[in-house]
Amino acid sequence: MMLRKFTVVYLWIGLMSISIMNAQNPVIFADVPDMSMIRVGDTYYMSSTTMHMSPGVPIMKSTDLVNWELVNYAYAALDDVDELNLANGKSAYGRGSWASCLRYHHGTYYLSTFAGTTNTTYIYSTKDMEKGPWKAIKFKPSYHDHTIFFDDDGKIYMVWGVGDLRMVELKEDLSDVKEGTERVLIENASAPAGDNIMLKAEGSQVFKVNGKYYLFNITWPRGGMRTVIIHRADKITGPYESNLALQDRGIAQGGLIDTPDGDWYAYLFRDYGSVGRIPYLAPISWEDGWPVIGIDGKVPDKLDLPKSNGLIPGIVASDEFKRKKGAPDLPLVWQWNHNPDKEHWTINGEKGYLRITTGRVDTSFYLARNTLTQRTIGPVCTGSTLIDISKMKEGDIAGLALLQKKYGLVGVKYENGEKSLVMINADSGEPVEAETIPLEQNTIYLKASCDFMERKDEANFFYSLDGKKWNKIGSTLKMQYTLPHFMGYRFGLFNYATKRAGGYVDFDYFLINDKVE
């Protein structure tokens, strides 16, 4: 009988544990790479990378590490150069601003990033993370994958680099580095992963726990996977000892975060095909002063954290384009593909539509300005819209796209005095008109569905003449994550001219859901 009682108690405890562990990895099934995370009281803030997008460096908020919502951006436009403006045939695809560093010190939030596009380091600061305003500082050069650290003695350091990690001390107002302070902090930081390295140590993030300094980096052994390396020291200036901390499915790059209850987690991300680089959390235990990531060397699929409520509307959201008085023109889920031309798009909040007017002639969708985007989400998703095409001009192309270098789109082209539905597939590396259908009406419903389940990475496009009966058009897009673009696929609303500017289309709404329809 006693054995039977123990068995019942054991089973009850096991079932209770399963019921508590509601959260699942990935915690965000969408492109949110290069995370930097802080906790202020019981609130977590996280920044990420969106490169060439505008506004840029998204900031997300959570109270449980699982359910996140966009609350701000560090900047409206990173800089005013041809590459970021999609001007004169130049672009910033795969570049723009990269990994950011988020910090909170003496009542002020600091967010720093860097851009090889402008060879500049940017530091933004604010007293109010969610409302701003932001103060901007910038200086040269561009410090790759840097982390800022405010030490207890008042000194401010920056650690950055690839392979050999370097350190500088910053001026008290963070306006520049102090001359003569640059030094090599760690030579060959990849060493714990061996001597046959494809990607040398980078992605630095520094933390101080119980008086010790911990430096997180990633490296990638040739023939292996992205690997977490941790260095530890009693002083931030070293000397450092090292530890190979995690090799599991390439889940890597990030750092440490603690909860108000004293639990610790590692926040990391994983390359997951065409949806992009997706965030994972792993529990941390401490052994001999080292953070041990995961359970038995693995990042668990389930977490002892609250259940996710989904990514809609915190990360992506539908939009009827109706606005109340005083509301911003665009919710934070939207980003423009590069800096927009503000003179050639409007939101009619009363009637509820987005109007994109062509302001110039472009040679391709990929270089067209004023494409409005949102992330795709996994494991599956669908985006749809209704557009009024009555004011297009000869040579115009408008519609709904899935944006990456190897993009796909469904839309309307106005050619030789006639309008046609068209599906363009660029998964071969070159755009191909997979199907063209004559169109004799001035409104058209468009839809794109994505399947990222187990990296299937396929998308299909549809149209409807009445919003009820949907028809597949063109060929299946074999989505591929490409480094020249360096971003997961995004839904895009677009209109561009190939012959003369001045035409416009009105998007009545954009709907997104987490199903394939």
Side-chain angles (χ1 to χ4, degrees), residues 15-76:
L15 289 172
M16 182 178 68
S17 299
I18 291 172
S19 66
I20 291 172
M21 296 175 64
N22 288 322
Q24 292 187 325
N25 271 317
V27 290
I28 302 176
F29 207 141
D31 192 51
V32 183
D34 303 333
M35 304 95 72
S36 182
M37 195 181 297
I38 59 172
R39 177 176 63 83
V40 180
D42 60 359
T43 301
Y44 304 94
Y45 291 104
M46 175 172 68
S47 62
S48 179
T49 296
T50 51
M51 299 183 179
H52 51 275
M53 294 286 173
S54 177
V57 189
I59 298 161
M60 304 175 190
K61 173 185 176 182
S62 176
T63 56
D64 59 15
L65 286 174
V66 175
N67 292 284
W68 295 89
E69 62 172 328
L70 284 156
V71 294
N72 210 337
Y73 288 91
Y75 57 78

Side-chain angles (χ1 to χ4, degrees), residues 354-358 365 368 370-371 385-393 395-401 409-415 419-424 439 444-446 492-498 503-507:
L354 161 71
R355 176 170 294 176
I356 300 179
T357 304
T358 61
F365 161 73
N370 283 7
T371 295
T385 189
L386 166 64
I387 62 173
D388 183 328
I389 56 175
S390 59
K391 300 301 181 180
M392 294 178 72
K393 290 185 178 295
D396 289 359
I397 303 175
L400 173 65
L409 63 84
V410 58
V412 177
K413 68 174 182 178
Y414 194 174
E415 189 175 62
K419 294 172 184 172
S420 301
L421 278 165
V422 62
M423 185 271 165
I424 296 177
L439 183 63
I444 187 69
Y445 298 83
L446 305 172
L493 306 179
F494 70 93
N495 177 35
Y496 70 96
T498 65
Y504 64 83
V505 296
D506 292 336
F507 295 84

Side-chain angles (χ1 to χ4, degrees), residues 316-334:
V316 297
S318 297
D319 195 344
E320 297 283 349
F321 298 121
K322 293 182 178 180
R323 303 288 181 259
K324 295 180 180 179
K325 186 176 181 180
D329 283 338
L330 291 173
L332 296 172
V333 293
W334 291 110

Side-chain angles (χ1 to χ4, degrees), residues 239-272:
Y240 282 85
E241 54 184 330
S242 63
N243 184 27
L244 193 155
L246 182 70
Q247 286 184 322
D248 179 27
R249 292 169 287 171
I251 301 170
Q253 191 163 342
L256 291 170
I257 193 73
D258 66 339
T259 71
D261 294 331
D263 296 324
W264 287 87
Y265 288 87
Y267 56 88
L268 308 162
F269 70 81
R270 181 185 182 190
D271 295 290
Y272 202 81

Side-chain angles (χ1 to χ4, degrees), residues 138-151:
K138 61 182 182 180
F139 52 83
K140 295 181 181 295
S142 172
Y143 288 96
H144 179 89
D145 275 14
H146 69 255
T147 180
I148 291 177
F149 188 81
F150 295 87
D151 211 349

